[in-house]
Amino acid sequence: MSSRGSALAPPARTVVVYRNGDPFFPGRKFVVSQRRFLTLDAFLNEVTGSIRAPLAVRSLYTPRHGHRVAALGDLRHGGQYVAAGFEKFKKLDYSHRGRKELGGTRTSEGPQVSPCAERGQSGEAVFRNGDLLSPPFPLPLSEGTSLQWDALLATLTRKADLRSGAVSKLCRLDGTQVSGGEELVHGGYYVAVGKEEYKKLPYCELLVPRGS
């Protein structure tokens, strides 16, 4: 009976999943088989942890038309999907941008513009690591910042009020860490991070209103 059942089981399928509204996430590959995942919910739980989604993944959509996947059997081999929580599907060119990011072909695309700058955001802003619900706050810069790095981190701790506790480091939007006040630039955008790892999320796209 077991060999007969395995023969009738559908073959494993390989799919690529992107994060909803994140044009910089290159996509994560998954192998979907009946032996590993019995239901769509079980697969969504796996996706939530693997793509480091800020909230639990509740839906999968086709990237072009935003059609929702109803069942695990609807996933096609070689298909691409967008993982979302309870929020609406955000239509972006996911696979095209993902391949650019993976291939590293930035030189042919011209100068890289900050997504915050594209939305009209001016001035220094600090986002909270992994938080896509709270708006950013101004970065307190002064001439003595480079000499008072610990004091700046203490100020950020009070302003950010991270769930993980004190702010231990400040990162740029690409995840690189700022090691001192002399590296801060006017008009820069940063993410306050505690002891946890930096979470690369579409902070500007989701938290900064266009034309602000």
Side-chain angles (χ1 to χ4, degrees), residues 5-65:
S6 61
L8 296 175
R13 291 150 290 168
T14 301
V15 300
V16 177
V17 179
Y18 300 94
R19 278 199 299 247
N20 190 35
D22 187 348
F24 305 105
F25 185 68
R28 183 65 54 85
K29 185 179 293 185
F30 294 89
V31 177
V32 183
S33 66
Q34 193 178 52
R35 178 179 300 179
R36 186 175 182 187
F37 304 109
L38 294 178
T39 64
L40 179 62
D41 287 339
F43 178 59
L44 295 182
N45 290 337
E46 175 73 13
V47 171
T48 298
S50 296
I51 69 172
R52 296 184 178 181
L55 299 173
V57 174
R58 288 290 177 262
S59 303
L60 290 178
Y61 296 92
T62 57
R64 283 192 176 184
H65 304 291

Side-chain angles (χ1 to χ4, degrees), residues 103-117:
T105 56
R106 295 186 175 184
T107 54
S108 61
E109 300 172 24
Q112 296 295 303
V113 180
S114 165
C116 287

